[in-house]
Amino acid sequence: MLRIRAAVTVLLPPGTGWIHVLRVCFCCTWLDFSRFPSGGASSRMFRTKRSGLVRRLWRSRALGEADGQTDNEGDANRGGGGGGGGGGSGSSGGGSSGGGCCGGKGAKYTTSDPELKTLTHSLLKKLKEKQLELLLQAVDSKGGARTGCLLLPRMIEPKLSKQTYSLPVLICKVFRWPDLRNSSELKRLYCCESYGTNNPDSVCCNPHHLSRLCEFESPPPPYSKFPMDSLKQSADLPDSVPPSTETGGTHYTAPGGLSESQISQELGSQSHWCVVAYWEERTRVGRLYTVQEPSLDIFYDLPHGNGFCLGQLNSDNKSQLVTKVRSKIGYGIQLSKEPDGVWVYNRSNYPIFIKSVTLDNPDSRTLLVHKVFPGYSIKAFDYEKSYTLQRPNDHDFTHEPWSGFSIQISFVKGWGQCYTRQFITSCPCWLEVFLNNR
């Protein structure tokens, strides 16, 4: 402004009218701003906003064990789920801390490598402002908010330490799993619009549209086997028990909760592909939840959640342990029916434990329980495999008539040989998923 005032004083003689003064001021102002390339001050503001988004994204990256995290924090960070931290292998269920079916400890990893920082900044600066905002929303919400696909060209293949990464792997490595090595460890979630498509030009790189894939240990971990002697107790069980806190629920002291006849009686002829029952220890809470959509979110506290909200159910259970576990369910799980079977994705910050007949060893009569860490997906039920399995004598040691089309899922606490809980009915919060085989 001082330069403009000086120019007016020099250029205009005394007594000049105000109209001429304003014209000269406008010309000087235009000349002053024209020195800035590509649109002047608005361009400077645009670049500043983009740079700010890039800096915020880098500060939101996942930190690995070599960056100074504790082991428990590292386990929780593998999931990137919502609702509160923690959830290491030793914090779930008591008893053995042996490895589960996925998420075991590997070598130390870091996202503070200068080369990775330079590569990430270079990639982020190529994104449009709306793409940066979408990525930041997905990262900040830890998958709690439904965000769209982040479509990027397939042809870009960044290199890190002479190793080439695909874009989805690099972005997931930066923002979710620093120990991620290649795309074979990832599974695209059903909620992603790119699921099941093969676009040759672009690929979705939203890190919360992908999950880690469970890899089964061989042989199965020892904590996952039921001791056969302790299961043969059906003769000592009572024939009838009182109802649950709401409609239709029943107390059970066996691994199996509801029979197929009870489900048919309560639901009638509703069209569905599965039915979900929520239990707290031996008591079923709430009505049976029928599922017709291919994908279902089951959660306790999820911002803008759409699905089965366990937090809205009325429970009379005042147990301190149940209350504590209930608060850790958080974003819960995502249950989806896919062409190759039924998948379960752990969206919470704590492990879940799953049992189904198709996760069992086909040559063994034992029932296996698999530990699934945060951020991992597991094919909990394989339709094709289930038709080939025949277990005519299973009812002799499971307390209830066996129903092959079912999945049992416990939040936070496990059950089995190396835990104090031998049966799932001793777990504080658990689900029973009945699949419609008709």
Side-chain angles (χ1 to χ4, degrees):
M1 291 301 296
L2 291 175
R3 284 181 295 176
I4 295 173
R5 185 176 179 180
V8 171
T9 304
V10 173
L11 294 175
L12 296 179
T16 305
W18 281 106
I19 298 295
H20 295 288
V21 173
L22 292 174
R23 286 177 180 173
V24 173
C25 288
F26 174 78
C27 291
C28 292
T29 304
W30 182 83
L31 289 171
D32 187 65
F33 279 108
S34 65
R35 295 186 304 162
F36 296 102
S38 304
S42 61
S43 176
R44 286 189 298 165
M45 292 175 62
F46 179 74
R47 289 200 302 269
T48 301
K49 183 176 181 181
R50 285 172 55 84
S51 300
L53 290 171
V54 171
R55 288 194 298 269
R56 286 181 61 187
L57 280 166
W58 179 249
R59 288 196 298 265
S60 301
R61 72 190 184 278
L63 299 178
E65 290 181 8
D67 294 316
Q69 279 190 310
T70 62
D71 291 344
N72 284 346
E73 288 170 336
D75 285 336
N77 203 37
R78 279 195 290 267
S89 59
S91 64
S92 55
S96 173
S97 60
C101 68
C102 58
K105 288 185 181 180
K108 288 188 176 181
Y109 41 84
T110 178
T111 53
S112 297
D113 179 59
E115 184 181 0
L116 178 61
K117 180 178 181 179
T118 301
L119 182 63
T120 303
H121 275 72
S122 175
L123 171 63
L124 294 178
K125 288 177 180 178
K126 295 178 182 179
L127 302 186
K128 298 178 181 179
E129 183 179 316
K130 289 186 177 180
Q131 291 176 319
L132 291 171
E133 290 175 343
L134 187 151
L135 179 58
L136 184 61
Q137 182 185 8
V139 172
D140 281 350
S141 68
K142 300 184 184 299
R146 285 295 180 106
T147 51
C149 290
L150 178 63
L151 296 177
L152 299 179
R154 284 184 181 270
M155 63 183 68
I156 302 177
E157 292 186 344
K159 288 187 177 181
L160 180 65
S161 301
K162 298 182 180 180
Q163 182 177 353
T164 301
Y165 291 94
S166 66
L167 282 180
V169 172
L170 177 65
I171 291 180
C172 286
K173 184 178 181 68
V174 173
F175 295 108
R176 295 199 68 182
W177 305 289
D179 62 331
L180 185 65
R181 296 182 297 273
N182 53 64
S183 58
S184 64
E185 301 175 21
L186 294 175
K187 179 193 179 299
R188 189 163 299 280
L189 297 176
Y190 190 85
C191 62
C192 178
E193 295 177 4
S194 300
Y195 175 87
T197 63
N198 187 18
N199 190 329
D201 301 322
S202 61
V203 60
C204 176
C205 298
N206 188 325
H208 288 279
H209 284 191
L210 296 156
S211 66
R212 293 289 290 267
L213 188 63
C214 269
E215 297 178 359
F216 297 110
E217 294 181 349
S218 181
Y223 74 83
S224 64
K225 296 183 179 181
F226 279 113
M228 292 300 100
D229 293 338
S230 64
L231 287 169
K232 297 181 181 179
Q233 301 172 357
S234 57
D236 300 329
L237 296 178
D239 294 331
S240 61
V241 284
S244 74
T245 58
E246 288 194 20
T247 58
T250 307
H251 293 271
Y252 283 88
T253 54
L258 300 174
S259 66
E260 293 182 3
S261 60
Q262 288 175 303
I263 296 174
S264 300
Q265 182 179 2
E266 186 167 339
L267 294 179
S269 58
Q270 297 184 31
S271 175
H272 58 275
W273 68 267
C274 82
V275 176
V276 181
Y278 171 61
W279 297 76
E280 290 180 353
E281 296 176 329
R282 299 170 184 265
T283 302
R284 202 186 93 202
V285 181
R287 296 178 179 271
L288 295 178
Y289 191 95
T290 59
V291 185
Q292 298 178 340
E293 297 296 327
S295 178
L296 172 70
D297 290 332
I298 304 175
F299 56 93
Y300 191 85
D301 182 19
L302 177 64
H304 313 294
N306 184 21
F308 188 11
C309 180
L310 305 180
Q312 293 181 350
L313 302 178
N314 296 323
S315 173
D316 294 333
N317 197 319
K318 305 300 182 183
S319 166
Q320 184 177 0
L321 180 60
V322 171
T323 303
K324 183 178 179 180
V325 172
R326 196 188 295 144
S327 67
K328 293 181 178 181
I329 294 175
Y331 291 1
I333 65 171
Q334 186 175 97
L335 190 69
S336 58
K337 181 183 180 183
E338 304 182 22
D340 60 341
V342 177
W343 286 80
V344 176
Y345 167 49
N346 185 3
R347 304 181 66 186
S348 73
N349 273 352
Y350 293 85
I352 60 174
F353 298 81
I354 298 182
K355 187 201 76 176
S356 88
V357 64
T358 61
L359 290 176
D360 203 346
N361 184 347
D363 298 325
S364 172
R365 294 183 60 202
T366 59
L367 302 176
L368 304 182
V369 178
H370 293 269
K371 184 177 184 178
V372 181
F373 281 93
Y376 281 73
S377 286
I378 186 173
K379 183 160 69 171
F381 197 89
D382 188 320
Y383 283 110
E384 184 177 355
K385 185 178 178 180
S386 68
Y387 290 115
T388 65
L389 298 177
Q390 295 182 356
R391 296 173 173 272
N393 299 320
D394 271 14
H395 65 275
D396 292 339
F397 58 87
T398 60
H399 297 177
E400 287 287 327
W402 174 74
S403 176
F405 289 84
S406 66
I407 306 168
Q408 293 177 340
I409 305 169
S410 174
F411 294 103
V412 184
K413 302 297 182 180
W415 77 98
Q417 182 179 4
C418 293
Y419 293 100
T420 57
R421 302 168 187 85
Q422 293 299 305
F423 305 111
I424 194 171
T425 48
S426 300
C427 294
C429 304
W430 57 283
L431 302 170
E432 201 161 22
V433 182
F434 299 92
L435 307 175
N436 189 353
N437 60 337
R438 290 173 292 181

